[in-house]
Amino acid sequence: MNKNEIIKEYFEKEYGKQKNYEAIMKKIKGGKSMKKKVINTAAIFVMIVTIGFVTQTIYANIAWNIEYKEYQNRNVITRNIAMEEAQKEGQLENLSMEYLVQDEIAIKVQSLMMTNDYVEIRLDMKLPKTPEKISYGYAIYDENNNIYAFSQRMSKVNKKNNVWKKLKQELGIPSNLNNVLSDLGSNSSSGIEMRSSTGFPHSKKLYIRIFDIGYDILEKSGKVRNVCLSDSEWQFEIDVPKKIYERTEIELMLSQEIEGITLNKAQLSETGLSIKVNIKDLRNFLMSGKDMDTKEFDKLRDAAFYLSDGEDNIYMATDMGTTKNENEIQAKFGIGKQDLDKKIYLNVSLNDVQAKIQLVEK
């Protein structure tokens, strides 16, 4: 059926003469006394006004259906991975997995680390040509369609290849739902890392998709040229062991009450400590940083709020910001469960608040 036939059939079904007549009679007061000629004229006018909009909608739907059909027919290679647990808590390793190979590109998952706020996926990629910096798109989600992370190569984001929209349709996720759990992530040829301030669920399965592998070349003209090595897709389905999806975090608290400091949350995982705290004047101090020299502000901030341990090691916040709660600050530190034996201290040096307080288990 060609486009004209589709449109004709659509209008006959949705905008037939009788339908237009009935619709207009309901909307026009005193319509029963009007001549049918006037009604028909009004119906034609309504159709002319709406035809442009509806035609565009029909063509857009047709184009999207064609594009999505092409997406469904892309080259995909899939493998389920039952990974072996290593000795390190929270760490999974696969020692015998074979590469998935297509388009002369071989990929395998080497290891996976999952905690409540951090996921690290180590990949091994073999390419026929190895540029300085490889890039690729990826999607990571679980059995309940919680999207851990999604990324497209920047060179493709504004083009027709809208994988995000297609992925949501494939998984049955509402088009108006754009929630992604990770708020900080990075990827390279050696793997993907992601962090979440809201936390990752205790998933029993993890799905990893790698697609649109390529790189960019800076030409002499100054333009950046995109080189796509493959439009195929590599899919990995990982069965997460019970030890990992039943993981726990250690809740910490202040060893003593200090005026001007209220610790609302302190959760220690294998790879990090997440804190939510109210500290007198700290929020105002952080907000004032926009008017200061960056280096000067970073130096003052690092001295005002940090962690230390019993061996005098210093830990600066890897991420810090305000929350929706009044005067509350949230921060993440690169200190894990293995550091608890060394003792962990919260250090504050800001105006009237000067303190070094140990964080202990609740």
Side-chain angles (χ1 to χ4, degrees):
M1 186 181 292
N2 60 40
K3 293 179 180 178
N4 290 333
E5 290 174 334
I6 292 173
I7 295 172
K8 180 180 179 182
E9 180 181 318
Y10 182 87
F11 276 113
E12 286 178 351
K13 180 180 178 181
E14 300 295 330
Y15 297 97
K17 181 184 291 185
Q18 186 61 31
K19 271 198 172 184
N20 281 312
Y21 177 81
E22 292 171 356
I24 293 171
M25 287 295 291
K26 288 179 182 179
K27 293 181 178 293
I28 301 178
K29 187 176 181 180
K32 291 183 179 180
S33 61
M34 296 180 67
K35 293 182 180 180
K36 196 168 183 178
K37 180 178 179 181
V38 175
I39 297 299
N40 288 337
T41 302
I44 293 170
F45 176 76
V46 171
M47 183 177 290
I48 292 172
V49 171
T50 59
I51 193 170
F53 172 77
V54 175
T55 301
Q56 290 180 355
T57 302
I58 293 172
Y59 281 146
N61 288 335
I62 292 171
W64 170 252
N65 289 334
I66 292 172
E67 187 178 339
Y68 184 69
K69 190 69 175 178
E70 291 174 351
Y71 169 76
Q72 290 180 308
N73 292 331
R74 70 199 184 283
N75 293 327
V76 176
I77 188 168
T78 306
R79 177 162 295 159
N80 177 271
I81 309 170
M83 305 188 83
E84 300 177 8
E85 293 186 50
Q87 292 182 353
K88 186 177 179 182
E89 185 178 3
Q91 177 81 31
L92 298 178
E93 287 190 355
N94 181 70
L95 305 177
S96 59
M97 176 192 168
E98 297 178 353
Y99 289 92
L100 287 183
V101 184
Q102 56 184 342
D103 301 337
E104 298 183 277
I105 298 174
I107 305 176
K108 72 174 180 178
V109 177
Q110 286 188 315
S111 66
L112 166 70
M113 175 181 280
M114 292 182 66
T115 70
N116 282 10
D117 56 14
Y118 178 78
V119 174
E120 178 187 284
I121 299 166
R122 294 290 104 193
L123 300 175
D124 187 4
M125 303 178 69
K126 293 185 177 180
L127 308 170
K129 182 178 181 180
T130 307
E132 288 186 9
K133 188 175 182 181
I134 193 73
S135 62
Y136 51 87
Y138 60 89
I140 302 169
Y141 57 96
D142 69 7
E143 71 275 17
N144 297 313
N145 290 343
N146 295 307
I147 306 295
Y148 278 55
F150 177 86
S151 178
Q152 280 188 252
R153 289 204 293 146
M154 292 303 295
S155 57
K156 290 281 187 86
V157 168
N158 295 320
K159 294 188 178 181
K160 185 179 179 180
N161 189 21
N162 190 338
V163 180
W164 174 240
K165 183 179 178 182
K166 296 168 188 171
L167 177 67
K168 287 195 292 183
Q169 180 166 327
E170 181 182 349
L171 299 181
I173 298 173
S175 59
N176 62 345
L177 187 63
N178 294 312
N179 292 354
V180 176
L181 296 175
S182 62
D183 43 30
L184 183 65
S186 63
N187 71 293
S188 65
S189 58
S190 61
I192 303 166
E193 296 181 53
M194 64 199 86
R195 297 182 183 274
S196 174
S197 58
T198 57
F200 294 110
H202 293 203
S203 308
K204 296 182 180 181
K205 280 186 177 290
L206 201 64
Y207 299 89
I208 303 167
R209 296 186 176 191
I210 307 295
F211 53 88
D212 186 25
I213 299 175
Y215 58 95
D216 293 332
I217 295 177
L218 180 61
E219 298 182 329
K220 292 182 179 180
S221 62
K223 293 184 178 180
V224 177
R225 179 167 61 89
N226 167 57
V227 177
C228 180
L229 296 176
S230 174
D231 281 324
S232 298
E233 186 170 298
W234 289 252
Q235 295 185 358
F236 303 92
E237 177 185 332
I238 298 178
D239 294 319
V240 180
K242 184 176 180 180
K243 179 180 178 181
I244 304 304
Y245 66 72
E246 289 189 351
R247 65 190 181 272
T248 59
E249 289 189 328
I250 298 175
E251 297 284 341
L252 302 180
M253 65 179 186
L254 298 177
S255 60
Q256 63 185 97
E257 293 186 4
I258 300 292
E259 186 177 353
I261 301 177
T262 302
L263 185 63
N264 303 321
K265 168 191 170 183
Q267 291 184 330
L268 185 67
S269 70
E270 287 79 15
T271 59
L273 174 61
S274 299
I275 287 179
K276 288 186 178 180
V277 63
N278 287 67
I279 299 177
K280 183 182 177 182
D281 295 333
L282 179 58
R283 187 184 180 106
N284 292 334
F285 166 72
L286 294 176
M287 297 300 289
S288 68
K290 65 180 185 299
D291 301 320
M292 299 173 62
D293 176 75
T294 302
K295 290 184 178 180
E296 179 186 356
F297 173 72
D298 288 346
K299 185 177 179 180
L300 292 173
R301 181 199 58 198
D302 291 345
F305 178 52
Y306 62 94
L307 297 184
S308 64
D309 62 26
E311 298 176 0
D312 295 327
N313 296 307
I314 303 297
Y315 305 88
M316 301 301 178
T318 57
D319 184 38
M320 186 188 300
T322 59
T323 72
K324 295 179 181 179
N325 300 325
E326 185 177 1
N327 296 323
E328 186 179 65
I329 297 297
Q330 63 180 0
K332 287 185 175 296
F333 296 87
I335 189 169
K337 287 181 178 179
Q338 71 278 4
D339 300 302
L340 192 58
D341 292 338
K342 295 186 289 186
K343 297 184 179 180
I344 301 174
Y345 296 91
L346 175 66
N347 298 263
V348 179
S349 179
L350 187 65
N351 300 332
D352 296 335
V353 183
Q354 305 288 326
K356 179 179 179 180
I357 325 143
Q358 185 179 353
L359 297 176
V360 296
E361 289 189 54
K362 280 188 175 181

